[in-house]
């Protein structure tokens, strides 16, 4: 039995109310989806048009769907954390310590890895080829493989609902030695390890692919210094991905060796060095938050320039600033553990290097201020998100500089002040950027403009809800409240603030409901909200020059670029893109990516539960598919000019 | 022709991939450097280091790199037979290297110096077997490539694959030089 | 301006007002803003200074942004519209220089203050310091007073206006030792010893706690740090010495097993070299025994 099922015994199956509830819910949901697809006879359509598609636009939308589902999961986690903290005065509450810790660990991992990263990869897939005037990505196969590995990781992290056991309870970075075998013997940590490992490899592949695409696939005339800022920001972010994700892969692999084979990298005994884990994981972890942040900065630059009807002030400065942020952020990781006792010199150097990031960030603000000056500003929803972002981001930036001062950090480290700070940056910076980008590009994705009124409601509920929920956390931090407490003495006087914070969470939920309603209402009334021009915002960059949604080949004729803001200049000169069609190659769809990801998923699953025969079988399966793929030469087909003409006429 | 040119971008991608691989090695080298003296009363690198043995390993790898380079030259000269011979020789040398490494490991394990013994041994085994794993991947790659060439001849796509393989194989050679210097020479002699 | 935007802004303003009201009018216990020791006070003052300097740049910049957003709104046809404005290299240079100057000032402050407030630096005082060794266990704090040969669990007492020198280690996962009202935190790690120096200006009971997540007993891992007069401190030491419990090898091995929400315990004596033995255990095989032989 142990050979067949490893650690997966009957006792490991769900037996607590929350895991049983999760199991029932997940099973019902799966049955529901399968029944729906079968009834509507949609399987074939799903498989051919979506799952095996290599069209980056479709993959981008699939990224959005997965990320949105994970946002709901992460949001529910957040609600459970808050509720417990409200009830936690004088040892109350409904969660055990173990369960509470599992929830905040899952919340962090999901929000960073599967929500924010997912949305950003969605945008990059959809927008970058359009912005640089390309028909496809450099390697469509790597792209689908990367996406499906990300999905495999996302499913794996939710699998403990179905198969039980437990989840990691050592914080989102699983700091050693707590994450080692001695202190976390269960399968929870292995869920964390394998879902990060699998999706991390997907992210690295995506990073390589986007660098190749941006460097090699640009339309004629689009020099690096004519690229739209979002593309530049994505390039910076992806360069960081390929630099730091290997560090994550290697570090997590070492932790895994500790746990699987009894090695001693990060253990307390036999000469292991737990401080090394803290160093290595933050060498990835700090750049990771900038990987999330930088593309969002790119989105804001696009939004500000478009809605001010004006070219971006200081394009060169913006590009330099983005690069500077990307490079400097690789050298600041130690500010996450000033309190480890590295000595004043080391602490001061890393504190100052952290502050230096504030310079290019402030330059970004200057760029936006002077873009708006003498512009003609329209307050559509994307612009509102931007204006909301500026305020939260400035507060987050200032508290960030404060945290970079080591003596101040000794007090604020591990406190709720820190929690409030990074939520200000990730929600107020990255997530607002995602919302801005989503409402900005939604007409491009679908050919439908979003309902403005509901979008504005969503914005106001979000920003007010954000400050109602995270303001109290700043205050709690100043009261000396540490993070991650599920119970505390009522004499501390923290409870009222947690209550306010929970109310804020409720307001945020209403905001999210408005976001959902906005999408539903707009799609339902698609005739009314239709945008037939392909250029609803008077856009500046190439993605607006094609129709909405773009044809699968993006551009019937690859545009020639002579300036920055290529489309704006074309419109100004009144030149329409010449319509002489030529033959070109398009990649064929492939299911290899999805098959490899399925094997990777079962490989991870088998390794978590120590079912080694299944792991070996899956590993061989992956190798076999890769070898098989090398024999498959005809990955492209020819698109004839006449066919293109036919498609273009039908539009 | 245009189609083949556009395939050249795969080299950029492959170089980036090699860089990510190098960074993983960098992590392992860094952990090795940190844990080098954490022997916890167990065996040290001085006791592991057997100069003639490691020298032979090094020579095998250097030769294989040279042979691999020759294979590419013959491939460019469209000499299919010699290309196949030299690629096969590269793979065989890789297997020989792997055999020696496995022998060294089993020798250590049989003396009770397992990777669970100390942090130093964990780092030592992991760094070396990660390199060994790459050699294994390389030999499998060569085997498949040989099948490709035997089936379809020296197509441009196959020559491109030999070039990529060359980059990979030389890279492994360079990493081994680092292992030789940092692990064996600096640890065993200085 | 749109009426809805006005309502939204008014609500935001109200939220902010609420916070300021909370800070200034309430009797909330702002441990970091009302420090009880010179270290914590200097840390607070430094934080305030940094925020102050940052606000000098931030307020005009953010203010300008919202002012421009209002002034150049699409509805205002009187405003100038120049869609193709280009900025000179000089202007762009100024955008870089302004934040650079401020960060330069902050960097100098950081460098000096990081050295001045290094937690490893002993405090200058005419009174001889009290030494305390803190050991993070799963899930409680064990304190040793090497000068008095007494030990306590989850409670420490020391005289006011007297420097307290902590040596900190762990016999459990990594942790963080923190008394917010008196000073910042420092990590507790097995196999090594970190240091923290602090001083209490006023008498009182201060909350101390574990800062770093370390397993299921994490939130119960708190202690009381009592600053008292010298006389009360001596009385307390006498009281602990009369305790019936002693911390010998057996007692320690029981104590170091995982347990949650431990109550305060006093030990009239403890095994010599306990602190070093706990540390050495992680450094060499059988480190405990080797320490004993030494």
């Amino acid at each position: 039995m142990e050979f067949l099922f490893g650690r997966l015994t009957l006792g490991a199956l769900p037996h607590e109310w929350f895991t049983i509830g999760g199991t029932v819910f997940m099973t019902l949901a799966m049955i529901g989806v399968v029944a729906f697809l079968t009834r509507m006879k949609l399987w074939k359509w799903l498989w051919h048009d979506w799952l095996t598609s290599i069209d980056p636009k479709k993959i981008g939308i699939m990224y959005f769907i997965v990320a949105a589902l994970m946002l709901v999961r992460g949001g529910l986690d957040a609600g459970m954390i808050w509720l417990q903290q409200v009830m936690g005065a004088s040892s109350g509450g409904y969660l055990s310590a173990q369960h509470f810790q599992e929830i905040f660990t899952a919340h962090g991992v999901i929000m960073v890895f599967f929500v924010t990263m997912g949305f950003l990869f969605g945008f990059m897939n959809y927008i970058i080829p359009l912005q640089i005037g390309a028909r496809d990505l450099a390697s469509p196969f790597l792209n689908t493989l990367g996406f499906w590995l990300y999905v495999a990781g996302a499913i794996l992290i939710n699998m403990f609902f179905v198969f039980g056991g437990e989840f990691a309870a050592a914080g989102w970075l699983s700091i050693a030695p707590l994450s080692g075998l001695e202190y976390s013997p269960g399968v929870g940590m292995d869920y964390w390890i394998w879902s990060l490992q699998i999706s991390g490899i997907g992210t690295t592949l995506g990073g390589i692919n986007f660098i190749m695409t941006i460097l090699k696939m640009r339309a004629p005339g689009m020099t690096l210094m004519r690229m739209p800022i979002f593309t530049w920001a994505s390039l910076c972010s992806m360069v960081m991905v390929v630099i730091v994700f290997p560090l994550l892969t290697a570090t997590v692999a070492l932790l895994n060796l500790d746990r699987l084979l009894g090695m001693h990298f990060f253990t307390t005994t036999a000469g292991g060095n737990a401080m090394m884990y803290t160093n290595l994981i933050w060498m990835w972890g700090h750049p990771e938050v900038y990987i999330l942040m930088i593309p969002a900065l790119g989105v804001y630059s696009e939004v500000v320039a478009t809605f001010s009807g004006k070219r971006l002030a200081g394009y060169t400065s913006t590009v330099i600033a983005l690069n500077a942020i990307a490079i400097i952020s690789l050298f600041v990781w130690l500010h996450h553990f000033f309190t480890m006792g590295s000595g004043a010199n080391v602490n001061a150097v890393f504190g100052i290097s952290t502050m230096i990031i504030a310079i290019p960030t402030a330059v970004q603000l200057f760029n936006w201020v002077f873009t708006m000056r003498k512009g003609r500003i329209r307050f559509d929803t994307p612009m509102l998100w931007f204006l909301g972002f500026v305020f939260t981001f400035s507060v987050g930036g200032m508290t960030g500089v404060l945290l970079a001062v080591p003596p101040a950090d000794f007090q604020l480290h591990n406190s709720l002040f820190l929690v409030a700070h990074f939520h200000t940056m990730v929600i107020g910076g990255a997530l607002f950027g995602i919302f801005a980008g989503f409402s900005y590009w939604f007409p491009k994705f679908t050919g439908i403009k979003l309902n403005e009124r509901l979008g504005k409601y969503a914005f106001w509920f979000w920003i007010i809800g954000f400050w109602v929920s995270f303001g109290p956390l700043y205050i709690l931090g100043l009261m000396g409240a540490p993070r991650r407490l599920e119970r505390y003495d009522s004499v501390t006087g923290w409870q009222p603030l947690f209550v306010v914070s929970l109310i804020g969470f409720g307001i945020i939920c209403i905001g999210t409901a408005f976001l959902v309603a906005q999408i539903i209402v707009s799609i339902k009334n698609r005739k009314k909200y239709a945008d037939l021009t392909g250029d609803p915002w008077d856009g500046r960059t190439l993605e607006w020059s094609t129709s909405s949604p773009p044809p699968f080949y993006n551009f019937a004729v690859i545009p020639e670029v002579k300036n920055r803001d290529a489309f704006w200049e074309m419109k100004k000169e009144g030149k329409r893109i010449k319509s002489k069609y030529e033959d070109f190659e398009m990649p064929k769809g492939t299911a290899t990516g999805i098959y490899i990801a399925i094997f990777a998923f079962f490989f991870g699953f088998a390794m978590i539960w120590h079912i080694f025969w299944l792991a070996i079988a899956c590993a061989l399966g992956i190798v076999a598919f890769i070898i098989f793929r090398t024999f498959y030469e005809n990955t492209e087909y020819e698109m004839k000019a006449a066919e293109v003409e036919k498609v273009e006429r039908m539009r | 022709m245009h189609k083949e040119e556009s395939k050249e971008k795969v080299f950029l991608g492959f170089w980036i991939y090699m860089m990510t691989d190098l960074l993983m090695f960098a992590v392992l080298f860094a952990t090795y450097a940190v844990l080098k003296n954490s022997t916890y009363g167990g065996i040290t690198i001085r006791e592991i280091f057997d100069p003639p043995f490691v020298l032979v390993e090094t020579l095998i790898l250097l030769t294989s790199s040279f042979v691999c380079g020759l294979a590419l030259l013959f491939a460019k000269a469209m000499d299919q037979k010699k290309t196949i011979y030299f690629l096969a020789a590269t793979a065989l040398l890789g297997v020989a290297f792997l055999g020696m490494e496995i022998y060294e490991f089993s020798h250590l394990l049989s003396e009770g110096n397992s990777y669970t013994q100390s942090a130093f041994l964990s780092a030592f085994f992991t760094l070396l077997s990660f390199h060994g794993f790459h050699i294994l991947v390389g030999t499998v790659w060569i085997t498949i490539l040989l099948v490709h060439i035997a089936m379809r001849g020296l197509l441009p796509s196959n020559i491109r694959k030999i070039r990529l393989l060359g980059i990979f194989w030389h890279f492994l050679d360079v990493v081994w030089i680092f292992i030789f210097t940092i692990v064996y020479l600096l640890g065993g002699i200085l | 301006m749109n009426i809805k935007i006005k309502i939204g802004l008014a609500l935001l303003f109200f939220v902010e007002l609420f916070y300021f009201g909370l800070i200034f009018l309430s009797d909330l216990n702002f441990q970091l803003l009302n420090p009880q020791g010179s270290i914590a006070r200097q840390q607070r003052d430094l934080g305030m200074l940094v925020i102050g300097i940052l606000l000098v740049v931030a307020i005009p910049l953010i203010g300008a942004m919202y002012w421009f957003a209002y002034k150049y709104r699409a509805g205002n046809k009187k405003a100038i519209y120049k869609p193709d404005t280009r900025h000179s290299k000089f202007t762009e240079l100024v955008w870089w220089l302004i934040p650079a100057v401020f960060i330069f000032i902050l960097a100098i402050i950081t460098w000096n203050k990081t050295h001045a407030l290094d937690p490893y630096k002993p405090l200058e005082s005419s009174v001889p310091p009290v030494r305390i060794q803190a050991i993070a266990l799963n899930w409680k704090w064990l304190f040793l007073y090497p000068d008095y040969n007494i030990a306590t669990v989850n409670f420490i007492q020391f005289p006011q206006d007297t420097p307290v020198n902590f040596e900190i280690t762990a016999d459990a996962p990594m942790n963080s030792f923190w008394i917010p009202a008196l000073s910042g935190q420092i990590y507790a790690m097995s196999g090594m010893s970190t240091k923290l120096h602090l001083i209490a200006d006023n008498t009182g009971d201060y909350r101390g706690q574990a800062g770093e997540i370390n397993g299921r007993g994490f939130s119960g891992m708190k202690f009381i740090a009592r600053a008292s007069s010298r006389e009360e401190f001596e009385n307390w030491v006498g009281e602990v010495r009369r305790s019936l419990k002693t911390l010998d090898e057996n007692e320690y091995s029981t104590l170091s097993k995982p347990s949650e929400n431990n109550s305060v315990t006093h030990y009239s004596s403890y095994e010599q070299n306990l602190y070093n033995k706990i540390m050495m255990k992680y450094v060499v095989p059988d480190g405990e025994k080797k320490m004993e032989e030494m």
Side-chain angles (χ1 to χ4, degrees):
Chain A
M1 278 305 267
E2 209 189 313
F3 173 76
L4 268 186
F5 294 111
R7 289 195 279 183
L8 187 58
T9 58
L10 277 178
L13 290 174
H15 52 269
E16 281 155 306
W17 64 266
F18 50 92
T19 39
I20 291 175
T23 312
V24 172
F25 176 77
M26 294 277 269
T27 320
L28 285 181
M30 268 189 272
I31 292 172
V33 170
V34 170
F36 177 77
L37 288 172
T38 314
R39 201 184 144 81
M40 306 296 282
K41 297 200 173 89
L42 289 176
W43 279 108
K44 213 172 172 187
W45 165 81
L46 188 70
W47 180 257
H48 282 287
D49 282 15
W50 289 92
L51 301 187
T52 62
S53 167
I54 40 70
D55 184 350
K57 294 184 287 300
K58 284 184 175 161
I59 291 179
I61 287 175
M62 288 194 285
Y63 263 115
F64 288 139
I65 292 169
V66 179
L69 287 175
M70 294 304 272
L71 179 65
V72 173
R73 161 82 212 273
L76 285 177
D77 286 344
M80 288 175 82
I81 295 170
W82 257 314
L83 191 61
Q84 169 62 34
Q85 285 185 322
V86 166
M87 294 161 72
S90 315
S91 323
Y94 67 110
L95 293 176
S96 69
Q98 169 77 19
H99 191 197
F100 180 79
Q101 291 167 358
E102 284 173 15
I103 292 174
F104 70 66
T105 303
H107 170 76
V109 178
I110 285 172
M111 287 303 197
V112 169
F113 259 91
F114 297 105
V115 177
T116 325
M117 290 295 272
F119 276 123
L120 290 177
F121 268 94
F123 281 126
M124 284 180 212
N125 263 292
Y126 208 106
I127 299 301
I128 285 181
L130 289 169
Q131 280 199 333
I132 62 174
R135 291 203 170 99
D136 197 4
L137 294 179
S139 171
F141 171 64
L142 278 190
N143 194 34
T144 115
L145 181 57
F147 168 70
W148 286 109
L149 288 175
Y150 158 83
V151 175
I155 297 176
L156 201 55
I157 208 169
N158 286 300
M159 259 303 112
F160 83 105
F161 277 128
V162 180
F163 287 100
E166 46 165 25
F167 192 67
W172 77 287
L173 286 181
S174 295
I175 293 294
L178 181 60
S179 54
L181 201 55
E182 192 184 350
Y183 300 111
S184 302
V187 291
M189 197 50 67
D190 299 303
Y191 270 119
W192 182 88
I193 286 174
W194 285 104
S195 47
L196 253 67
Q197 208 64 307
I198 291 171
S199 67
I201 289 170
T203 309
T204 315
L205 293 179
I208 295 175
N209 199 5
F210 281 112
I211 297 175
M212 281 159 76
T213 307
I214 296 173
L215 292 183
K216 292 279 180 185
M217 308 273 289
R218 296 191 308 276
M222 178 166 285
T223 58
L224 283 178
M225 287 312 273
R226 285 178 189 164
M227 287 197 316
I229 289 294
F230 175 70
T231 304
W232 253 117
S234 302
L235 179 62
C236 294
S237 167
M238 290 301 109
V239 168
M240 290 174 75
V241 161
V242 300
I243 292 174
V244 300
F245 267 76
L247 306 186
L248 172 76
T249 306
T251 310
V252 174
L254 295 184
L255 178 66
N256 200 12
L257 287 174
D258 271 5
R259 296 176 57 84
L260 202 61
L261 299 178
M263 289 197 181
H264 291 287
F265 287 102
F266 310 125
T267 56
T268 47
T269 51
N273 191 333
M275 292 192 295
M276 192 168 63
Y277 182 85
T278 313
N279 267 293
L280 287 171
I281 201 78
W282 278 120
M283 275 181 186
W284 161 77
H286 185 81
E288 166 68 11
V289 292
Y290 281 84
I291 290 170
L292 306 177
M293 201 54 240
I294 291 176
L297 294 178
V299 173
Y300 294 124
S301 290
E302 302 280 347
V303 166
V304 174
T306 305
F307 289 94
S308 302
K310 191 161 163 287
R311 73 167 60 236
L312 185 72
Y315 176 93
T316 323
S317 281
T318 309
V319 171
I320 296 172
L322 287 171
N323 282 285
I325 294 173
I327 293 165
I328 302 167
S329 69
L330 295 172
F331 301 99
V332 299
W333 75 88
L334 195 127
H335 70 217
H336 291 275
F337 43 95
F338 285 142
T339 47
M340 209 180 240
S342 316
N345 284 332
V346 177
N347 280 354
V349 166
F350 275 91
I352 291 168
S353 70
T354 308
M355 291 175 180
I356 291 175
I357 296 185
I359 301 174
T361 316
V363 170
Q364 292 269 292
L365 284 174
F366 273 105
N367 290 330
W368 295 325
V369 168
F370 283 90
T371 307
M372 285 158 70
R373 187 165 169 264
K374 296 185 185 170
R376 185 135 289 177
I377 302 164
R378 288 163 286 150
F379 294 100
D380 294 294
T381 331
M383 195 63 185
L384 279 189
W385 285 113
F386 166 74
L387 291 171
F389 146 81
V390 169
F391 178 71
T392 42
F393 188 73
S394 309
V395 175
M398 285 192 290
T399 51
V401 173
L402 178 64
L403 283 162
V405 182
D409 180 72
F410 285 128
Q411 277 287 24
L412 300 170
H413 184 60
N414 273 333
S415 74
L416 285 171
F417 189 90
L418 176 79
V419 173
H421 159 72
F422 68 69
H423 279 94
T424 315
M425 297 312 258
V426 178
I427 295 179
L431 196 65
F432 282 13
I434 287 164
F435 291 152
F438 192 76
S439 45
Y440 177 55
W441 280 310
F442 189 83
K444 183 54 47 184
F445 301 156
T446 56
I448 305 166
K449 279 180 89 167
L450 283 170
N451 180 311
E452 277 290 313
R453 173 198 287 246
L454 288 172
K456 281 176 180 159
Y457 285 157
F459 166 76
W460 285 111
F461 274 99
W462 257 92
I463 184 114
I464 291 168
F466 175 82
W467 281 108
V468 174
S469 55
F470 288 95
L473 295 194
Y474 277 115
I475 297 174
L476 280 165
L478 293 176
M479 292 168 72
R483 66 198 286 204
R484 294 167 171 172
L485 283 188
E486 87 283 359
R487 282 175 180 82
Y488 48 89
D489 293 331
S490 51
V491 288
T492 49
W494 296 339
Q495 198 182 23
L497 288 162
F498 278 124
V499 173
V500 175
S501 199
L502 185 67
I503 294 170
F505 174 70
I507 302 175
I508 289 179
C509 285
I510 299 172
T512 316
F514 274 118
L515 278 178
V516 176
Q518 182 196 23
I519 296 169
I520 293 172
V521 166
S522 312
I523 292 180
K524 258 195 160 170
N525 304 319
R526 54 187 165 278
K527 290 238 169 69
K528 184 179 158 200
Y529 293 109
D531 163 57
L532 301 173
T533 58
D535 180 23
W537 309 118
D538 197 9
R540 313 181 66 79
T541 40
L542 282 180
E543 75 264 31
W544 303 109
S545 71
T546 179
S547 58
S548 301
F552 64 93
Y553 46 76
N554 288 356
F555 300 95
V557 177
I558 296 290
E560 241 177 76
V561 178
K562 297 198 185 65
N563 304 78
R564 280 173 204 162
D565 291 338
F567 184 49
W568 177 263
E569 298 290 333
M570 283 176 197
K571 282 192 286 191
K572 222 168 60 177
E573 286 171 26
K575 251 197 283 183
R576 293 313 300 172
I577 296 166
K578 62 174 191 269
S579 55
K580 189 175 168 296
Y581 303 125
E582 281 174 358
D583 301 353
F584 51 84
E585 308 271 332
M586 287 303 286
K588 284 183 195 163
T590 172
T592 316
I594 197 167
Y595 289 139
I596 291 180
I598 289 171
F599 276 117
F601 170 79
F602 281 106
F603 176 77
F605 178 78
M607 291 304 283
I608 290 167
W609 291 101
H610 293 183
I611 311 171
F612 295 116
W613 63 268
L614 182 61
I616 293 168
C618 290
L620 290 177
I622 295 172
V623 174
F625 262 106
I626 293 170
I627 293 174
F628 175 74
R629 172 87 190 168
T630 64
F631 284 92
Y632 190 72
E633 291 280 333
N634 297 319
T635 54
E636 294 186 332
Y637 66 97
E638 183 130 14
M639 187 78 189
K640 293 282 177 206
E643 235 175 300
V644 178
E645 201 169 346
K646 215 168 85 190
V647 177
E648 289 291 307
R649 278 232 189 91
M650 272 166 59
R651 308 189 69 83
Chain B
M1 191 58 220
H2 174 73
K3 195 177 164 187
E4 279 307 316
E5 248 170 43
S6 74
K7 292 272 167 66
E8 293 293 302
K9 63 178 178 275
V10 81
F11 283 91
L12 173 70
F14 197 76
W15 275 110
I16 301 172
Y17 155 70
M18 292 277 48
M19 197 207 69
T20 62
D21 222 0
L22 189 65
L23 282 161
M24 286 202 259
F25 273 110
V27 170
L28 295 184
F29 274 113
T31 45
Y32 179 82
V34 171
L35 299 175
K36 194 171 64 184
N37 297 322
S38 306
T39 53
Y40 205 61
I43 193 171
T44 62
I45 184 67
R46 249 169 235 265
E47 294 156 60
I48 294 175
F49 184 37
D50 177 9
F53 189 86
V54 178
L55 204 62
V56 172
E57 278 184 313
T58 311
L59 285 177
I60 288 178
L61 263 197
L62 286 177
T63 319
S64 77
S65 228
F66 177 68
V67 174
C68 182
L70 286 181
L72 179 59
L73 284 180
F74 285 118
K76 280 184 179 161
M78 299 306 280
D79 188 337
Q80 184 169 340
K81 222 176 196 177
K82 279 189 178 145
T83 311
I84 289 181
Y85 287 155
F86 278 93
L87 277 180
T90 313
L92 285 178
L93 286 167
V95 171
F97 173 85
L98 275 178
M100 287 188 79
E101 196 157 65
I102 289 168
Y103 170 78
E104 188 187 7
F105 282 1
S106 60
H107 182 69
L108 278 172
L109 289 174
S110 69
E111 287 179 349
N113 295 313
S114 151
Y115 42 79
T116 55
Q117 213 68 25
S118 69
F120 155 68
L121 280 170
S122 301
F124 175 81
F125 271 96
T126 307
L127 176 55
L128 262 67
S129 33
F130 191 58
H131 177 264
F133 173 73
H134 278 75
I135 297 276
L136 178 68
V137 171
T139 47
V140 172
W141 185 358
I142 293 173
T143 318
I144 295 156
L145 200 50
L146 287 175
V147 177
H148 272 271
I149 297 170
M151 275 169 63
R152 293 173 178 159
L154 286 171
L155 297 175
S157 66
N158 282 338
I159 293 181
R160 195 168 54 236
K161 279 172 191 154
I162 299 175
R163 282 168 64 197
L164 291 175
L165 175 83
I167 297 173
F168 185 72
W169 202 265
H170 294 317
F171 162 79
L172 290 184
D173 216 18
V174 172
V175 170
W176 177 259
I177 298 295
F178 274 103
I179 292 179
F180 183 68
T181 323
I182 293 173
V183 176
Y184 289 114
L185 285 184
L186 291 181
I189 291 171
L190 294 176
Chain C
M1 211 190 307
N2 190 318
I3 182 74
K4 276 171 208 145
I5 293 184
K6 270 185 192 159
I7 293 170
L9 284 177
L11 269 172
L12 260 186
F13 183 69
F14 173 75
V15 170
E16 299 308 307
L17 209 64
F18 173 73
Y19 291 140
F20 283 113
L22 218 56
I23 290 175
F24 289 112
L25 303 177
S26 73
D27 57 348
L28 290 178
N29 181 9
F30 284 97
Q31 298 207 342
L32 304 196
L33 300 180
N34 301 314
Q36 302 296 318
S38 81
I39 296 290
R41 189 166 48 250
Q42 290 179 61
Q43 284 168 332
R44 178 202 59 183
D45 293 347
L46 176 62
M48 293 292 180
L49 177 69
V50 169
I51 287 291
I53 292 174
L54 288 169
L55 283 175
V56 174
V57 209
I59 290 178
L61 194 57
I62 308 306
M65 176 151 313
Y66 288 111
W67 167 243
F68 286 156
Y70 175 69
K71 186 176 170 195
Y72 296 102
R73 67 193 184 276
N76 182 7
K77 299 291 178 205
K78 275 182 277 179
I80 315 164
Y81 176 47
K82 281 191 178 167
D84 287 318
T85 323
R86 278 163 205 270
H87 294 274
S88 66
K89 286 276 167 283
F90 177 74
T91 335
E92 287 190 38
L93 196 64
V94 173
W95 300 345
W96 284 87
L97 279 178
I98 294 171
V101 167
F102 278 88
I103 293 299
F104 184 71
I105 296 168
L106 282 174
I108 293 172
I109 296 173
T110 303
W111 181 266
N112 292 335
K113 285 292 177 183
T114 305
H115 285 84
L117 290 172
D118 184 3
Y120 275 45
K121 214 171 74 172
L123 301 174
E124 280 168 28
S125 168
S126 52
V127 194
V130 173
R131 289 202 299 151
I132 301 179
Q133 292 170 328
I135 302 156
L137 302 176
N138 262 351
W139 286 276
K140 61 250 153 194
W141 292 97
L142 171 65
F143 298 101
L144 310 177
Y145 286 74
D147 300 331
Y148 299 91
N149 191 30
I150 53 170
T152 55
V153 170
N154 282 352
F155 183 87
I156 41 175
Q157 188 160 346
F158 44 80
Q160 70 180 116
D161 295 324
T162 308
V164 187
N165 298 357
F166 285 98
E167 283 180 286
I168 303 159
T169 190
D171 196 359
M174 200 181 277
N175 208 328
S176 193
F177 176 83
W178 189 18
I179 309 172
L182 296 179
S183 129
Q185 62 202 297
I186 204 89
Y187 280 2
M189 293 173 284
S190 52
M192 61 194 86
S193 183
T194 46
K195 289 179 193 167
L196 184 69
H197 297 90
L198 56 81
I199 190 164
D201 295 349
N202 305 314
T203 59
D205 280 5
Y206 305 117
R207 186 169 46 82
Q209 63 209 4
E212 184 87 4
I213 174 88
N214 63 342
R216 73 187 140 81
F218 169 64
S219 9
M221 196 170 162
K222 52 203 169 194
F223 60 94
I224 292 167
R226 179 173 292 165
S228 65
S229 65
R230 171 65 65 172
E231 198 187 351
E232 279 173 53
F233 171 68
E234 300 290 348
N235 288 343
W236 175 76
V237 170
E239 191 189 312
V240 177
R241 279 195 172 137
R242 284 192 295 278
S243 164
L244 295 175
K245 280 188 161 176
T246 57
L247 190 61
D248 54 17
E249 202 171 325
N250 282 335
E251 181 69 23
Y252 179 75
S253 68
T254 320
L255 183 69
S256 60
K257 290 206 175 71
S259 59
E260 294 174 55
N261 297 315
N262 293 56
S263 50
V264 175
T265 317
H266 293 165
Y267 296 104
S268 53
S269 70
Y270 65 88
E271 196 197 346
Q272 277 310 306
N273 255 337
L274 181 61
Y275 186 82
N276 287 339
K277 268 168 73 177
I278 291 169
M279 248 169 58
M280 288 309 285
K281 187 163 101 179
Y282 290 101
V283 181
V284 285
D286 299 324
E288 284 163 289
K289 296 207 178 84
K290 280 186 190 150
M291 268 315 287
E292 242 161 56
E293 285 157 21
M294 270 163 71

